[in-house]
């Protein structure tokens, strides 16, 4: 039972009357009347225990976008329920309004819409629904809570989607619609067409030209059905934030763009998330990939790179492009990654994608005062170590893409297209 503010006002009025009219009998009568009024009001309030609830609506949404989840409240009793309802969610679910006034006649139902804009990626869950049912006088109310579970999954936002049309245009150029200048093990003959100014003379088919009325060139297209393995390092390096974005989220965004591009190119995509154990795996660039990424969180542990490589080798039977999203810190790479690279590069094309911090570049250019100069020296040392690690990986046949979050996704897509054009996949 809950005593409302209105009952408090009635009690205050009784006290005032008792002061102005100092009679013990009058005060007793007023108290009895108030208690009786509250009791009658409470007895006439609709029951909240008998209410039934159900939810419907969105079960997933891109981070930053808005979704609606509908809560249906049914009153199976005979009395009209007049009250307030609180639909509680996790704070990071970003509910716009969680309190609602409801009037539900007996035997009817009403719907309450929760407008949600999640502020964090992952599963956002509904908490209890609390209903306060007032009596006709508004002096007292019944209150109860009900568990009405629902999960809204906040998916990675995929900001890099805007880069996809330009990369698909380049992919169509590679896909046999113009003469490929460099031919490698990953290209196959597509067709013949007439020579146009700008074509590489090495693509001219002299035998076909002798039979035709014009000079003919061969076109080559990248082979399809290649295998692309995306490996997300979910260890401690991925937990660091660059600006307002965790490194893991920036890696996911780049992985989504590469997966979409590879799928359009006819390649098969597989995701592995690993630190010391396998956290997630998915095949294809569709909803399963995005859903597998959504609940991932970086773990504050040093990754087991040997175990990660073993997992990749176990899953990738044929020659593949293995894209490892990790850091370029000198110690983990030299002590953890380099010793196990040979087993990976012997069978696959390996590419390391790392998220760089633009703040380090800003510090390296600062010269305002002594403190800024010391910061610049530290930043230069960090950049020099990253260049050294990049050179070390390159000497072992590993491609490296090191870019700030906003540039990582398009830079990685461009490197994939370059490898495909060169026939190295």
């Amino acid at each position: 039972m809950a005593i409302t503010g209105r009952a408090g006002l009635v009690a205050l009025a009784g006290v005032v009357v008792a002061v102005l009219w100092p009679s013990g009998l009058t005060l007793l009568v007023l108290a009895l009347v108030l208690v009786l009024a509250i009791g009658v009001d409470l007895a006439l309030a609709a029951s909240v225990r008998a209410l039934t609830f159900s939810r419907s609506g969105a079960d997933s949404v891109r981070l930053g976008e808005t979704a609606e989840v509908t809560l249906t409240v049914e009153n199976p009793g005979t009395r009209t329920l007049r009250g307030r309802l609180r639909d509680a969610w996790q704070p990071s679910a970003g509910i716009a309004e969680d309190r609602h006034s409801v009037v539900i006649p007996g035997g009817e139902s009403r719907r309450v819409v929760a407008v949600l804009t999640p502020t964090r990626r992952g599963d956002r869950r509904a908490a209890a629904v609390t209903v306060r049912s007032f009596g006709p006088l508004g002096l007292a109310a019944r209150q109860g809570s009900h568990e009405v579970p629902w999960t809204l999954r906040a998916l990675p936002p995929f900001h890099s989607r805007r880069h996809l049309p330009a990369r698909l245009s380049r992919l169509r150029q590679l896909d046999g619609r113009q003469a490929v200048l460099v031919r490698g093990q990953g290209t196959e003959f597509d067709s013949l067409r007439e020579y146009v100014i700008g074509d590489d003379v090495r693509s001219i088919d002299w035998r076909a030209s002798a039979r035709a009325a014009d000079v003919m060139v061969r076109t080559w297209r990248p082979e399809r059905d290649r295998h692309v393995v995306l490996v997300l390092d979910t260890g401690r390096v991925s937990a660091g934030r660059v600006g307002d974005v965790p490194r893991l989220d920036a890696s996911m965004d780049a992985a989504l763009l590469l997966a979409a591009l590879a799928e359009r190119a006819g390649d098969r995509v597989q995701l592995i998330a690993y630190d010391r154990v396998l956290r997630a795996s998915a095949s294809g660039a569709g909803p399963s990939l995005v859903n597998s990424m959504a609940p991932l969180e970086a773990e504050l542990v040093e990754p087991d790179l040997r175990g990660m490589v073993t997992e990749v080798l176990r899953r990738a039977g044929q020659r593949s492009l293995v894209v490892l999203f990790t850091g370029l810190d000198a110690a983990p790479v030299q002590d953890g990654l380099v010793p196990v690279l040979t087993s990976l590069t012997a069978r696959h094309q390996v590419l390391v994608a790392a998220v760089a911090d633009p703040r380090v570049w800003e510090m390296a250019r600062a010269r305002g005062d002594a403190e800024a100069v010391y910061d610049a020296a530290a930043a230069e040392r960090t950049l020099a170590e990253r260049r050294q690690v990049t050179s070390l990986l390159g000497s072992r046949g590993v491609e490296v893409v090191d870019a700030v979050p906003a540039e990582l996704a398009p830079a990685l897509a461009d490197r994939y297209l370059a490898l495909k054009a060169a026939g190295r996949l």
Side-chain angles (χ1 to χ4, degrees):
M1 181 186 77
I3 305 299
T4 67
R6 189 174 298 180
L9 291 176
V10 173
L12 179 62
V15 172
V16 172
V17 171
V19 171
L20 297 179
W21 188 3
S23 169
L25 180 61
T26 302
L27 182 60
L28 179 60
V29 170
L30 286 175
L32 291 174
V33 170
L34 177 59
V35 170
L36 180 62
I38 292 174
V40 171
D41 203 37
L42 182 63
L44 295 177
S47 172
V48 296
R49 291 185 178 180
L51 298 176
T52 59
F53 301 84
S54 62
R55 294 190 189 271
S56 61
D59 56 9
S60 64
V61 64
R62 292 280 185 186
L63 185 64
E65 297 180 0
T66 298
E68 293 185 352
V69 176
T70 301
L71 174 68
T72 302
V73 187
E74 184 176 356
N75 179 13
T78 58
R79 296 174 183 171
T80 297
L81 183 142
R82 299 176 178 85
R84 292 280 290 173
L85 178 148
R86 181 173 184 260
D87 186 11
W89 287 72
Q90 289 179 275
S92 55
I95 188 169
E97 179 59 53
D98 63 352
R99 289 173 171 82
H100 308 270
S101 297
V102 291
V103 178
I104 312 175
E108 297 187 13
S109 62
R110 293 291 185 269
R111 294 180 177 179
V112 175
V113 178
V115 180
L116 304 165
T117 308
T119 57
R120 286 185 59 188
R121 176 178 46 76
D123 291 338
R124 308 297 107 195
R125 294 181 173 83
V129 175
T130 302
V131 180
R132 178 173 290 182
S133 172
F134 294 99
L137 299 178
L139 298 177
R142 300 174 185 269
Q143 180 170 306
S145 297
H146 299 258
E147 294 294 332
V148 190
W150 190 265
T151 300
L152 179 69
R153 174 158 288 188
L155 305 173
F158 197 9
H159 296 306
S160 61
R161 185 193 292 115
R162 67 184 184 274
H163 299 293
L164 187 58
R167 272 66 192 179
L168 289 177
S169 177
R170 291 181 55 188
L171 179 63
R172 286 192 291 270
Q173 292 177 351
L174 291 176
D175 196 17
R177 302 195 182 187
Q178 70 176 20
V180 178
L181 302 184
V182 181
R183 180 186 171 197
Q185 62 181 359
T187 57
E188 59 183 10
F189 175 72
D190 182 44
S191 62
L192 292 169
R193 64 164 173 78
E194 294 181 357
Y195 175 87
V196 296
I197 297 176
D199 283 342
D200 185 5
V201 295
R202 291 174 295 178
S203 298
I204 296 176
D205 189 319
W206 297 107
R207 184 170 299 177
S209 300
R211 296 193 300 266
D214 204 342
V215 177
M216 306 298 292
V217 295
R218 293 186 176 189
T219 61
W220 307 87
R221 65 181 178 186
E223 290 184 6
R224 292 178 174 271
D225 199 30
R226 302 290 91 184
H227 194 197
V228 179
V229 182
L230 308 175
V231 185
L232 288 174
D233 177 359
T234 54
R236 63 169 185 80
V237 173
S238 298
R241 302 182 72 87
V242 179
D244 294 330
V245 180
R247 278 188 165 90
L248 180 59
D249 288 51
S251 297
M252 286 183 182
D253 193 53
L256 287 172
L257 179 63
L258 180 56
L261 185 60
E263 186 183 47
R264 298 291 185 88
D267 293 338
R268 293 179 291 113
V269 179
Q270 186 173 13
L271 169 73
I272 297 173
Y274 198 99
D275 41 70
R276 302 196 73 82
V277 296
L278 182 67
R279 298 292 177 180
S281 64
S283 298
S288 63
L289 181 72
V290 183
N291 274 287
S292 297
M293 287 183 176
L296 287 176
E297 297 291 344
E299 303 292 330
L300 299 180
V301 296
E302 197 69 37
D304 176 14
L305 295 175
R306 185 176 297 276
M308 184 184 297
V309 169
T310 302
E311 186 69 26
V312 172
L313 294 174
R314 187 179 69 83
R315 291 173 176 268
Q318 68 182 78
R319 179 173 173 80
S320 309
L321 171 63
V322 177
V323 184
L324 174 58
F325 295 88
T326 188
L328 289 180
D329 295 344
V333 171
Q334 293 174 355
D335 299 337
L337 183 58
V338 171
V340 298
L341 266 180
T342 303
S343 59
L344 197 59
T345 55
R347 296 173 55 183
H348 306 289
Q349 174 66 56
V350 182
L351 193 159
V352 171
V355 181
D357 190 345
R359 177 60 182 152
V360 176
W361 293 92
E362 295 173 5
M363 292 172 59
R365 293 192 296 267
R367 296 294 188 273
D369 51 25
E371 183 179 356
V373 171
Y374 280 113
D375 289 344
E380 286 289 356
R381 179 175 180 177
T382 299
L383 294 175
E385 288 179 351
R386 293 179 76 89
R387 288 192 294 267
Q388 182 180 5
V389 170
T390 299
S391 177
L392 175 64
L393 292 174
S395 67
R396 284 161 171 76
V398 177
E399 298 278 333
V400 178
V401 175
D402 184 19
V404 298
E407 300 174 6
L408 180 63
L412 182 60
D414 290 341
R415 186 65 61 90
Y416 165 78
L417 292 173
L419 290 171
K420 207 164 185 65
R424 294 174 58 189
L425 299 186

